[in-house]
Structures are given as C-alpha cells and as structure tokens.
PDB file of all heavy atoms in Angstrom:
ATOM      1  N   PRO A  28       0.809  -1.220   0.000  1.00  0.00           N
ATOM      2  CA  PRO A  28       0.000   0.000   0.000  1.00  0.00           C
ATOM      3  C   PRO A  28       0.841   1.269   0.000  1.00  0.00           C
ATOM      4  O   PRO A  28       0.512   2.248  -0.666  1.00  0.00           O
ATOM      5  CB  PRO A  28      -0.833  -0.134   1.280  1.00  0.00           C
ATOM      6  CG  PRO A  28      -0.914  -1.598   1.527  1.00  0.00           C
ATOM      7  CD  PRO A  28       0.415  -2.134   1.098  1.00  0.00           C
ATOM      8  N   GLU A  29       1.942   1.253   0.753  1.00  0.00           N
ATOM      9  CA  GLU A  29       2.827   2.423   0.771  1.00  0.00           C
ATOM     10  C   GLU A  29       3.514   2.587  -0.581  1.00  0.00           C
ATOM     11  O   GLU A  29       3.726   3.713  -1.056  1.00  0.00           O
ATOM     12  CB  GLU A  29       3.861   2.280   1.881  1.00  0.00           C
ATOM     13  CG  GLU A  29       4.868   3.426   1.949  1.00  0.00           C
ATOM     14  CD  GLU A  29       4.213   4.772   2.126  1.00  0.00           C
ATOM     15  OE1 GLU A  29       3.158   4.858   2.787  1.00  0.00           O
ATOM     16  OE2 GLU A  29       4.758   5.760   1.592  1.00  0.00           O
ATOM     17  N   LEU A  30       3.882   1.476  -1.207  1.00  0.00           N
ATOM     18  CA  LEU A  30       4.470   1.539  -2.546  1.00  0.00           C
ATOM     19  C   LEU A  30       3.494   2.169  -3.534  1.00  0.00           C
ATOM     20  O   LEU A  30       3.882   2.991  -4.367  1.00  0.00           O
ATOM     21  CB  LEU A  30       4.859   0.131  -3.013  1.00  0.00           C
ATOM     22  CG  LEU A  30       5.398   0.031  -4.447  1.00  0.00           C
ATOM     23  CD1 LEU A  30       6.739   0.753  -4.566  1.00  0.00           C
ATOM     24  CD2 LEU A  30       5.545  -1.432  -4.861  1.00  0.00           C
ATOM     25  N   ALA A  31       2.217   1.788  -3.421  1.00  0.00           N
ATOM     26  CA  ALA A  31       1.206   2.364  -4.308  1.00  0.00           C
ATOM     27  C   ALA A  31       1.059   3.858  -4.093  1.00  0.00           C
ATOM     28  O   ALA A  31       0.940   4.639  -5.060  1.00  0.00           O
ATOM     29  CB  ALA A  31      -0.130   1.660  -4.096  1.00  0.00           C
ATOM     30  N   ARG A  32       1.074   4.298  -2.829  1.00  0.00           N
ATOM     31  CA  ARG A  32       0.987   5.734  -2.542  1.00  0.00           C
ATOM     32  C   ARG A  32       2.198   6.479  -3.100  1.00  0.00           C
ATOM     33  O   ARG A  32       2.071   7.591  -3.638  1.00  0.00           O
ATOM     34  CB  ARG A  32       0.859   5.954  -1.032  1.00  0.00           C
ATOM     35  CG  ARG A  32      -0.504   5.588  -0.464  1.00  0.00           C
ATOM     36  CD  ARG A  32      -0.643   6.041   0.978  1.00  0.00           C
ATOM     37  NE  ARG A  32       0.133   5.213   1.887  1.00  0.00           N
ATOM     38  CZ  ARG A  32      -0.325   4.113   2.459  1.00  0.00           C
ATOM     39  NH1 ARG A  32      -1.557   3.684   2.204  1.00  0.00           N
ATOM     40  NH2 ARG A  32       0.433   3.420   3.300  1.00  0.00           N
ATOM     41  N   ARG A  33       3.336   5.847  -3.006  1.00  0.00           N
ATOM     42  CA  ARG A  33       4.558   6.456  -3.537  1.00  0.00           C
ATOM     43  C   ARG A  33       4.487   6.565  -5.059  1.00  0.00           C
ATOM     44  O   ARG A  33       4.906   7.567  -5.645  1.00  0.00           O
ATOM     45  CB  ARG A  33       5.745   5.591  -3.125  1.00  0.00           C
ATOM     46  CG  ARG A  33       7.099   6.245  -3.236  1.00  0.00           C
ATOM     47  CD  ARG A  33       8.065   5.437  -2.392  1.00  0.00           C
ATOM     48  NE  ARG A  33       9.422   5.889  -2.523  1.00  0.00           N
ATOM     49  CZ  ARG A  33      10.424   5.464  -1.749  1.00  0.00           C
ATOM     50  NH1 ARG A  33      10.170   4.598  -0.787  1.00  0.00           N
ATOM     51  NH2 ARG A  33      11.649   5.913  -1.916  1.00  0.00           N
ATOM     52  N   ALA A  34       3.955   5.536  -5.709  1.00  0.00           N
ATOM     53  CA  ALA A  34       3.830   5.552  -7.165  1.00  0.00           C
ATOM     54  C   ALA A  34       2.847   6.622  -7.621  1.00  0.00           C
ATOM     55  O   ALA A  34       3.088   7.326  -8.611  1.00  0.00           O
ATOM     56  CB  ALA A  34       3.386   4.171  -7.662  1.00  0.00           C
ATOM     57  N   ARG A  35       1.735   6.760  -6.895  1.00  0.00           N
ATOM     58  CA  ARG A  35       0.741   7.762  -7.284  1.00  0.00           C
ATOM     59  C   ARG A  35       1.276   9.183  -7.074  1.00  0.00           C
ATOM     60  O   ARG A  35       0.908  10.098  -7.812  1.00  0.00           O
ATOM     61  CB  ARG A  35      -0.538   7.550  -6.482  1.00  0.00           C
ATOM     62  CG  ARG A  35      -1.310   6.290  -6.862  1.00  0.00           C
ATOM     63  CD  ARG A  35      -2.658   6.239  -6.170  1.00  0.00           C
ATOM     64  NE  ARG A  35      -3.447   5.095  -6.599  1.00  0.00           N
ATOM     65  CZ  ARG A  35      -3.695   4.027  -5.839  1.00  0.00           C
ATOM     66  NH1 ARG A  35      -3.220   3.981  -4.593  1.00  0.00           N
ATOM     67  NH2 ARG A  35      -4.416   3.022  -6.299  1.00  0.00           N
ATOM     68  N   ALA A  36       2.125   9.352  -6.067  1.00  0.00           N
ATOM     69  CA  ALA A  36       2.713  10.670  -5.852  1.00  0.00           C
ATOM     70  C   ALA A  36       3.670  11.023  -6.986  1.00  0.00           C
ATOM     71  O   ALA A  36       3.760  12.188  -7.387  1.00  0.00           O
ATOM     72  CB  ALA A  36       3.451  10.700  -4.505  1.00  0.00           C
ATOM     73  N   ARG A  37       4.370  10.012  -7.494  1.00  0.00           N
ATOM     74  CA  ARG A  37       5.334  10.258  -8.580  1.00  0.00           C
ATOM     75  C   ARG A  37       4.643  10.355  -9.928  1.00  0.00           C
ATOM     76  O   ARG A  37       4.987  11.179 -10.773  1.00  0.00           O
ATOM     77  CB  ARG A  37       6.366   9.112  -8.611  1.00  0.00           C
ATOM     78  CG  ARG A  37       7.450   9.290  -9.688  1.00  0.00           C
ATOM     79  CD  ARG A  37       8.283  10.519  -9.402  1.00  0.00           C
ATOM     80  NE  ARG A  37       9.290  10.745 -10.431  1.00  0.00           N
ATOM     81  CZ  ARG A  37       9.066  11.360 -11.597  1.00  0.00           C
ATOM     82  NH1 ARG A  37       7.847  11.800 -11.874  1.00  0.00           N
ATOM     83  NH2 ARG A  37      10.038  11.527 -12.460  1.00  0.00           N
ATOM     84  N   TRP A  38       3.639   9.512 -10.148  1.00  0.00           N
ATOM     85  CA  TRP A  38       2.898   9.491 -11.415  1.00  0.00           C
ATOM     86  C   TRP A  38       1.401   9.595 -11.120  1.00  0.00           C
ATOM     87  O   TRP A  38       0.713   8.581 -11.018  1.00  0.00           O
ATOM     88  CB  TRP A  38       3.182   8.194 -12.192  1.00  0.00           C
ATOM     89  CG  TRP A  38       4.610   8.004 -12.588  1.00  0.00           C
ATOM     90  CD1 TRP A  38       5.481   7.087 -12.100  1.00  0.00           C
ATOM     91  CD2 TRP A  38       5.334   8.759 -13.554  1.00  0.00           C
ATOM     92  NE1 TRP A  38       6.706   7.212 -12.689  1.00  0.00           N
ATOM     93  CE2 TRP A  38       6.648   8.237 -13.605  1.00  0.00           C
ATOM     94  CE3 TRP A  38       5.017   9.825 -14.398  1.00  0.00           C
ATOM     95  CZ2 TRP A  38       7.633   8.742 -14.436  1.00  0.00           C
ATOM     96  CZ3 TRP A  38       6.002  10.338 -15.236  1.00  0.00           C
ATOM     97  CH2 TRP A  38       7.287   9.801 -15.252  1.00  0.00           C
ATOM     98  N   PRO A  39       0.861  10.782 -10.936  1.00  0.00           N
ATOM     99  CA  PRO A  39      -0.581  10.935 -10.704  1.00  0.00           C
ATOM    100  C   PRO A  39      -1.376  10.280 -11.841  1.00  0.00           C
ATOM    101  O   PRO A  39      -1.082  10.468 -13.005  1.00  0.00           O
ATOM    102  CB  PRO A  39      -0.777  12.457 -10.689  1.00  0.00           C
ATOM    103  CG  PRO A  39       0.555  12.997 -10.296  1.00  0.00           C
ATOM    104  CD  PRO A  39       1.573  12.076 -10.924  1.00  0.00           C
ATOM    105  N   GLY A  40      -2.366   9.504 -11.454  1.00  0.00           N
ATOM    106  CA  GLY A  40      -3.165   8.821 -12.466  1.00  0.00           C
ATOM    107  C   GLY A  40      -2.683   7.429 -12.802  1.00  0.00           C
ATOM    108  O   GLY A  40      -3.315   6.733 -13.608  1.00  0.00           O
ATOM    109  N   ILE A  41      -1.565   6.985 -12.197  1.00  0.00           N
ATOM    110  CA  ILE A  41      -1.080   5.632 -12.459  1.00  0.00           C
ATOM    111  C   ILE A  41      -2.116   4.617 -11.983  1.00  0.00           C
ATOM    112  O   ILE A  41      -2.767   4.799 -10.950  1.00  0.00           O
ATOM    113  CB  ILE A  41       0.274   5.387 -11.762  1.00  0.00           C
ATOM    114  CG1 ILE A  41       0.861   4.030 -12.189  1.00  0.00           C
ATOM    115  CG2 ILE A  41       0.133   5.453 -10.259  1.00  0.00           C
ATOM    116  CD1 ILE A  41       2.259   3.773 -11.628  1.00  0.00           C
ATOM    117  N   ALA A  42      -2.310   3.560 -12.732  1.00  0.00           N
ATOM    118  CA  ALA A  42      -3.226   2.497 -12.328  1.00  0.00           C
ATOM    119  C   ALA A  42      -2.504   1.541 -11.382  1.00  0.00           C
ATOM    120  O   ALA A  42      -1.294   1.309 -11.523  1.00  0.00           O
ATOM    121  CB  ALA A  42      -3.727   1.741 -13.553  1.00  0.00           C
ATOM    122  N   VAL A  43      -3.230   1.002 -10.405  1.00  0.00           N
ATOM    123  CA  VAL A  43      -2.661   0.052  -9.444  1.00  0.00           C
ATOM    124  C   VAL A  43      -3.538  -1.188  -9.409  1.00  0.00           C
ATOM    125  O   VAL A  43      -4.754  -1.092  -9.252  1.00  0.00           O
ATOM    126  CB  VAL A  43      -2.560   0.661  -8.033  1.00  0.00           C
ATOM    127  CG1 VAL A  43      -2.017  -0.372  -7.050  1.00  0.00           C
ATOM    128  CG2 VAL A  43      -1.668   1.897  -8.045  1.00  0.00           C
ATOM    129  N   LEU A  44      -2.914  -2.334  -9.566  1.00  0.00           N
ATOM    130  CA  LEU A  44      -3.622  -3.612  -9.516  1.00  0.00           C
ATOM    131  C   LEU A  44      -2.914  -4.511  -8.521  1.00  0.00           C
ATOM    132  O   LEU A  44      -1.729  -4.807  -8.666  1.00  0.00           O
ATOM    133  CB  LEU A  44      -3.639  -4.270 -10.902  1.00  0.00           C
ATOM    134  CG  LEU A  44      -4.305  -5.642 -11.010  1.00  0.00           C
ATOM    135  CD1 LEU A  44      -5.767  -5.572 -10.611  1.00  0.00           C
ATOM    136  CD2 LEU A  44      -4.170  -6.193 -12.430  1.00  0.00           C
ATOM    137  N   TYR A  45      -3.643  -4.914  -7.471  1.00  0.00           N
ATOM    138  CA  TYR A  45      -3.090  -5.799  -6.452  1.00  0.00           C
ATOM    139  C   TYR A  45      -3.404  -7.255  -6.785  1.00  0.00           C
ATOM    140  O   TYR A  45      -4.406  -7.565  -7.425  1.00  0.00           O
ATOM    141  CB  TYR A  45      -3.682  -5.493  -5.077  1.00  0.00           C
ATOM    142  CG  TYR A  45      -3.310  -4.150  -4.497  1.00  0.00           C
ATOM    143  CD1 TYR A  45      -4.211  -3.089  -4.507  1.00  0.00           C
ATOM    144  CD2 TYR A  45      -2.067  -3.941  -3.916  1.00  0.00           C
ATOM    145  CE1 TYR A  45      -3.891  -1.868  -3.970  1.00  0.00           C
ATOM    146  CE2 TYR A  45      -1.732  -2.719  -3.362  1.00  0.00           C
ATOM    147  CZ  TYR A  45      -2.645  -1.680  -3.389  1.00  0.00           C
ATOM    148  OH  TYR A  45      -2.322  -0.464  -2.849  1.00  0.00           O
ATOM    149  N   THR A  46      -2.552  -8.153  -6.305  1.00  0.00           N
ATOM    150  CA  THR A  46      -2.835  -9.577  -6.396  1.00  0.00           C
ATOM    151  C   THR A  46      -2.361 -10.251  -5.123  1.00  0.00           C
ATOM    152  O   THR A  46      -1.447  -9.754  -4.450  1.00  0.00           O
ATOM    153  CB  THR A  46      -2.144 -10.220  -7.619  1.00  0.00           C
ATOM    154  OG1 THR A  46      -2.522 -11.594  -7.711  1.00  0.00           O
ATOM    155  CG2 THR A  46      -0.627 -10.132  -7.503  1.00  0.00           C
ATOM    156  N   SER A  47      -2.995 -11.360  -4.758  1.00  0.00           N
ATOM    157  CA  SER A  47      -2.598 -12.079  -3.553  1.00  0.00           C
ATOM    158  C   SER A  47      -3.197 -13.471  -3.541  1.00  0.00           C
ATOM    159  O   SER A  47      -4.259 -13.706  -4.113  1.00  0.00           O
ATOM    160  CB  SER A  47      -3.043 -11.322  -2.296  1.00  0.00           C
ATOM    161  OG  SER A  47      -2.671 -12.048  -1.134  1.00  0.00           O
ATOM    162  N   GLY A  48      -2.480 -14.379  -2.887  1.00  0.00           N
ATOM    163  CA  GLY A  48      -3.018 -15.711  -2.675  1.00  0.00           C
ATOM    164  C   GLY A  48      -3.850 -15.807  -1.412  1.00  0.00           C
ATOM    165  O   GLY A  48      -4.529 -16.812  -1.188  1.00  0.00           O
ATOM    166  N   TYR A  49      -3.830 -14.769  -0.572  1.00  0.00           N
ATOM    167  CA  TYR A  49      -4.636 -14.738   0.642  1.00  0.00           C
ATOM    168  C   TYR A  49      -6.023 -14.179   0.313  1.00  0.00           C
ATOM    169  O   TYR A  49      -6.212 -13.477  -0.677  1.00  0.00           O
ATOM    170  CB  TYR A  49      -3.980 -13.864   1.712  1.00  0.00           C
ATOM    171  CG  TYR A  49      -2.642 -14.374   2.161  1.00  0.00           C
ATOM    172  CD1 TYR A  49      -1.479 -13.697   1.808  1.00  0.00           C
ATOM    173  CD2 TYR A  49      -2.533 -15.532   2.921  1.00  0.00           C
ATOM    174  CE1 TYR A  49      -0.243 -14.169   2.220  1.00  0.00           C
ATOM    175  CE2 TYR A  49      -1.307 -15.999   3.328  1.00  0.00           C
ATOM    176  CZ  TYR A  49      -0.162 -15.316   2.978  1.00  0.00           C
ATOM    177  OH  TYR A  49       1.059 -15.779   3.380  1.00  0.00           O
ATOM    178  N   THR A  50      -6.978 -14.476   1.177  1.00  0.00           N
ATOM    179  CA  THR A  50      -8.312 -13.946   0.965  1.00  0.00           C
ATOM    180  C   THR A  50      -8.344 -12.463   1.263  1.00  0.00           C
ATOM    181  O   THR A  50      -7.557 -11.944   2.052  1.00  0.00           O
ATOM    182  CB  THR A  50      -9.338 -14.650   1.880  1.00  0.00           C
ATOM    183  OG1 THR A  50      -9.011 -14.365   3.237  1.00  0.00           O
ATOM    184  CG2 THR A  50      -9.338 -16.147   1.651  1.00  0.00           C
ATOM    185  N   GLN A  51      -9.286 -11.763   0.652  1.00  0.00           N
ATOM    186  CA  GLN A  51      -9.385 -10.321   0.830  1.00  0.00           C
ATOM    187  C   GLN A  51      -9.641  -9.953   2.282  1.00  0.00           C
ATOM    188  O   GLN A  51      -9.041  -9.030   2.816  1.00  0.00           O
ATOM    189  CB  GLN A  51     -10.510  -9.769  -0.061  1.00  0.00           C
ATOM    190  CG  GLN A  51     -10.690  -8.261   0.065  1.00  0.00           C
ATOM    191  CD  GLN A  51     -11.715  -7.733  -0.914  1.00  0.00           C
ATOM    192  OE1 GLN A  51     -12.100  -8.418  -1.845  1.00  0.00           O
ATOM    193  NE2 GLN A  51     -12.160  -6.512  -0.691  1.00  0.00           N
ATOM    194  N   ASN A  52     -10.540 -10.667   2.959  1.00  0.00           N
ATOM    195  CA  ASN A  52     -10.865 -10.336   4.344  1.00  0.00           C
ATOM    196  C   ASN A  52      -9.647 -10.451   5.253  1.00  0.00           C
ATOM    197  O   ASN A  52      -9.425  -9.627   6.141  1.00  0.00           O
ATOM    198  CB  ASN A  52     -11.979 -11.246   4.868  1.00  0.00           C
ATOM    199  CG  ASN A  52     -13.323 -10.882   4.292  1.00  0.00           C
ATOM    200  OD1 ASN A  52     -13.510  -9.768   3.817  1.00  0.00           O
ATOM    201  ND2 ASN A  52     -14.243 -11.820   4.305  1.00  0.00           N
ATOM    202  N   ALA A  53      -8.826 -11.462   5.023  1.00  0.00           N
ATOM    203  CA  ALA A  53      -7.662 -11.655   5.875  1.00  0.00           C
ATOM    204  C   ALA A  53      -6.677 -10.505   5.727  1.00  0.00           C
ATOM    205  O   ALA A  53      -6.089 -10.044   6.707  1.00  0.00           O
ATOM    206  CB  ALA A  53      -6.970 -12.972   5.538  1.00  0.00           C
ATOM    207  N   ILE A  54      -6.510 -10.037   4.515  1.00  0.00           N
ATOM    208  CA  ILE A  54      -5.544  -8.962   4.277  1.00  0.00           C
ATOM    209  C   ILE A  54      -6.071  -7.653   4.832  1.00  0.00           C
ATOM    210  O   ILE A  54      -5.340  -6.872   5.430  1.00  0.00           O
ATOM    211  CB  ILE A  54      -5.229  -8.853   2.781  1.00  0.00           C
ATOM    212  CG1 ILE A  54      -4.533 -10.132   2.316  1.00  0.00           C
ATOM    213  CG2 ILE A  54      -4.358  -7.651   2.498  1.00  0.00           C
ATOM    214  CD1 ILE A  54      -4.335 -10.217   0.848  1.00  0.00           C
ATOM    215  N   VAL A  55      -7.352  -7.395   4.652  1.00  0.00           N
ATOM    216  CA  VAL A  55      -7.937  -6.171   5.190  1.00  0.00           C
ATOM    217  C   VAL A  55      -7.869  -6.180   6.703  1.00  0.00           C
ATOM    218  O   VAL A  55      -7.485  -5.200   7.345  1.00  0.00           O
ATOM    219  CB  VAL A  55      -9.399  -6.000   4.720  1.00  0.00           C
ATOM    220  CG1 VAL A  55     -10.070  -4.848   5.445  1.00  0.00           C
ATOM    221  CG2 VAL A  55      -9.436  -5.746   3.216  1.00  0.00           C
ATOM    222  N   HIS A  56      -8.214  -7.312   7.317  1.00  0.00           N
ATOM    223  CA  HIS A  56      -8.186  -7.405   8.774  1.00  0.00           C
ATOM    224  C   HIS A  56      -6.771  -7.316   9.306  1.00  0.00           C
ATOM    225  O   HIS A  56      -6.543  -6.888  10.433  1.00  0.00           O
ATOM    226  CB  HIS A  56      -8.833  -8.718   9.226  1.00  0.00           C
ATOM    227  CG  HIS A  56     -10.306  -8.746   8.951  1.00  0.00           C
ATOM    228  ND1 HIS A  56     -11.028  -9.915   8.960  1.00  0.00           N
ATOM    229  CD2 HIS A  56     -11.187  -7.763   8.637  1.00  0.00           C
ATOM    230  CE1 HIS A  56     -12.303  -9.652   8.683  1.00  0.00           C
ATOM    231  NE2 HIS A  56     -12.412  -8.355   8.480  1.00  0.00           N
ATOM    232  N   GLY A  57      -5.800  -7.731   8.491  1.00  0.00           N
ATOM    233  CA  GLY A  57      -4.412  -7.624   8.913  1.00  0.00           C
ATOM    234  C   GLY A  57      -3.853  -6.232   8.744  1.00  0.00           C
ATOM    235  O   GLY A  57      -2.692  -5.988   9.065  1.00  0.00           O
ATOM    236  N   GLY A  58      -4.641  -5.318   8.201  1.00  0.00           N
ATOM    237  CA  GLY A  58      -4.209  -3.937   8.061  1.00  0.00           C
ATOM    238  C   GLY A  58      -3.231  -3.711   6.932  1.00  0.00           C
ATOM    239  O   GLY A  58      -2.503  -2.727   6.916  1.00  0.00           O
ATOM    240  N   ARG A  59      -3.196  -4.614   5.954  1.00  0.00           N
ATOM    241  CA  ARG A  59      -2.207  -4.496   4.900  1.00  0.00           C
ATOM    242  C   ARG A  59      -2.752  -3.849   3.638  1.00  0.00           C
ATOM    243  O   ARG A  59      -1.993  -3.427   2.785  1.00  0.00           O
ATOM    244  CB  ARG A  59      -1.648  -5.883   4.545  1.00  0.00           C
ATOM    245  CG  ARG A  59      -0.822  -6.478   5.676  1.00  0.00           C
ATOM    246  CD  ARG A  59      -0.424  -7.913   5.369  1.00  0.00           C
ATOM    247  NE  ARG A  59       0.425  -8.434   6.428  1.00  0.00           N
ATOM    248  CZ  ARG A  59       1.745  -8.420   6.398  1.00  0.00           C
ATOM    249  NH1 ARG A  59       2.381  -7.893   5.378  1.00  0.00           N
ATOM    250  NH2 ARG A  59       2.443  -8.914   7.391  1.00  0.00           N
ATOM    251  N   LEU A  60      -4.041  -3.771   3.490  1.00  0.00           N
ATOM    252  CA  LEU A  60      -4.603  -3.246   2.254  1.00  0.00           C
ATOM    253  C   LEU A  60      -5.934  -2.582   2.551  1.00  0.00           C
ATOM    254  O   LEU A  60      -6.783  -3.154   3.218  1.00  0.00           O
ATOM    255  CB  LEU A  60      -4.780  -4.394   1.241  1.00  0.00           C
ATOM    256  CG  LEU A  60      -5.197  -4.000  -0.167  1.00  0.00           C
ATOM    257  CD1 LEU A  60      -4.120  -3.146  -0.823  1.00  0.00           C
ATOM    258  CD2 LEU A  60      -5.439  -5.241  -1.003  1.00  0.00           C
ATOM    259  N   ASP A  61      -6.120  -1.377   2.054  1.00  0.00           N
ATOM    260  CA  ASP A  61      -7.344  -0.637   2.318  1.00  0.00           C
ATOM    261  C   ASP A  61      -8.451  -0.976   1.332  1.00  0.00           C
ATOM    262  O   ASP A  61      -9.600  -1.112   1.694  1.00  0.00           O
ATOM    263  CB  ASP A  61      -7.067   0.875   2.267  1.00  0.00           C
ATOM    264  CG  ASP A  61      -6.137   1.316   3.387  1.00  0.00           C
ATOM    265  OD1 ASP A  61      -6.150   0.661   4.439  1.00  0.00           O
ATOM    266  OD2 ASP A  61      -5.409   2.295   3.186  1.00  0.00           O
ATOM    267  N   ALA A  62      -8.092  -1.101   0.073  1.00  0.00           N
ATOM    268  CA  ALA A  62      -9.110  -1.216  -0.969  1.00  0.00           C
ATOM    269  C   ALA A  62      -9.392  -2.644  -1.400  1.00  0.00           C
ATOM    270  O   ALA A  62     -10.240  -2.882  -2.234  1.00  0.00           O
ATOM    271  CB  ALA A  62      -8.687  -0.391  -2.195  1.00  0.00           C
ATOM    272  N   GLY A  63      -8.673  -3.626  -0.862  1.00  0.00           N
ATOM    273  CA  GLY A  63      -8.944  -5.002  -1.238  1.00  0.00           C
ATOM    274  C   GLY A  63      -8.069  -5.476  -2.366  1.00  0.00           C
ATOM    275  O   GLY A  63      -7.308  -4.729  -2.972  1.00  0.00           O
ATOM    276  N   VAL A  64      -8.155  -6.745  -2.660  1.00  0.00           N
ATOM    277  CA  VAL A  64      -7.359  -7.371  -3.703  1.00  0.00           C
ATOM    278  C   VAL A  64      -8.165  -7.412  -4.991  1.00  0.00           C
ATOM    279  O   VAL A  64      -9.321  -7.827  -4.998  1.00  0.00           O
ATOM    280  CB  VAL A  64      -6.956  -8.800  -3.289  1.00  0.00           C
ATOM    281  CG1 VAL A  64      -6.201  -9.487  -4.400  1.00  0.00           C
ATOM    282  CG2 VAL A  64      -6.126  -8.757  -2.023  1.00  0.00           C
ATOM    283  N   GLU A  65      -7.558  -6.982  -6.065  1.00  0.00           N
ATOM    284  CA  GLU A  65      -8.262  -6.911  -7.337  1.00  0.00           C
ATOM    285  C   GLU A  65      -8.200  -8.207  -8.137  1.00  0.00           C
ATOM    286  O   GLU A  65      -9.110  -8.535  -8.858  1.00  0.00           O
ATOM    287  CB  GLU A  65      -7.674  -5.769  -8.187  1.00  0.00           C
ATOM    288  CG  GLU A  65      -7.840  -4.387  -7.569  1.00  0.00           C
ATOM    289  CD  GLU A  65      -9.261  -3.884  -7.645  1.00  0.00           C
ATOM    290  OE1 GLU A  65     -10.071  -4.512  -8.333  1.00  0.00           O
ATOM    291  OE2 GLU A  65      -9.557  -2.866  -7.010  1.00  0.00           O
ATOM    292  N   LEU A  66      -7.087  -8.947  -8.018  1.00  0.00           N
ATOM    293  CA  LEU A  66      -6.918 -10.170  -8.799  1.00  0.00           C
ATOM    294  C   LEU A  66      -6.357 -11.265  -7.907  1.00  0.00           C
ATOM    295  O   LEU A  66      -5.163 -11.288  -7.615  1.00  0.00           O
ATOM    296  CB  LEU A  66      -5.974  -9.922  -9.987  1.00  0.00           C
ATOM    297  CG  LEU A  66      -5.759 -11.094 -10.940  1.00  0.00           C
ATOM    298  CD1 LEU A  66      -7.080 -11.515 -11.591  1.00  0.00           C
ATOM    299  CD2 LEU A  66      -4.731 -10.741 -12.008  1.00  0.00           C
ATOM    300  N   PRO A  67      -7.210 -12.189  -7.445  1.00  0.00           N
ATOM    301  CA  PRO A  67      -6.723 -13.245  -6.543  1.00  0.00           C
ATOM    302  C   PRO A  67      -5.909 -14.295  -7.291  1.00  0.00           C
ATOM    303  O   PRO A  67      -6.130 -14.557  -8.472  1.00  0.00           O
ATOM    304  CB  PRO A  67      -8.025 -13.837  -5.987  1.00  0.00           C
ATOM    305  CG  PRO A  67      -9.047 -13.566  -7.047  1.00  0.00           C
ATOM    306  CD  PRO A  67      -8.663 -12.256  -7.671  1.00  0.00           C
ATOM    307  N   LYS A  68      -4.955 -14.890  -6.588  1.00  0.00           N
ATOM    308  CA  LYS A  68      -4.194 -16.020  -7.124  1.00  0.00           C
ATOM    309  C   LYS A  68      -4.881 -17.320  -6.748  1.00  0.00           C
ATOM    310  O   LYS A  68      -5.498 -17.401  -5.684  1.00  0.00           O
ATOM    311  CB  LYS A  68      -2.776 -16.025  -6.538  1.00  0.00           C
ATOM    312  CG  LYS A  68      -1.917 -14.840  -6.906  1.00  0.00           C
ATOM    313  CD  LYS A  68      -0.569 -14.977  -6.217  1.00  0.00           C
ATOM    314  CE  LYS A  68       0.340 -13.795  -6.487  1.00  0.00           C
ATOM    315  NZ  LYS A  68       1.626 -13.916  -5.790  1.00  0.00           N
TER     316      LYS A  68
END
C-alpha cells in the first residue's frame, strides 16, 4: 500500500492492480490493504 501511494505521488493517475493468494478479508483485517485485492491467485 505504501508503494502504491509512492507511485501515485510520482505518477498521478497511475493504475494500481493488487494480487494475492490470501483472501481479501484476511488482508484487510491484517491492516495491509485498504481497498482489497483486485486479482486473486
């Protein structure tokens, strides 16, 4: 998430696509991602 914020600061309008083998709820509850996973593994 911090990497994404850094990328958006450098390139406003950059698209961000997350992927993960973990479930969305687990990652959100772990405080690692605000917007959820876009493409699950």
Side-chain angles (χ1 to χ4, degrees):
E29 178 57 33
L30 176 66
R32 287 189 286 271
R33 197 162 174 170
R35 290 188 176 108
R37 182 64 182 83
W38 298 111
I41 187 175
V43 178
L44 178 60
Y45 293 103
T46 184
S47 179
Y49 297 109
T50 64
Q51 180 175 346
N52 286 340
I54 295 173
V55 171
H56 292 164
R59 292 173 177 265
L60 187 64
D61 294 331
V64 177
E65 297 287 350
L66 183 61
K68 296 178 182 178

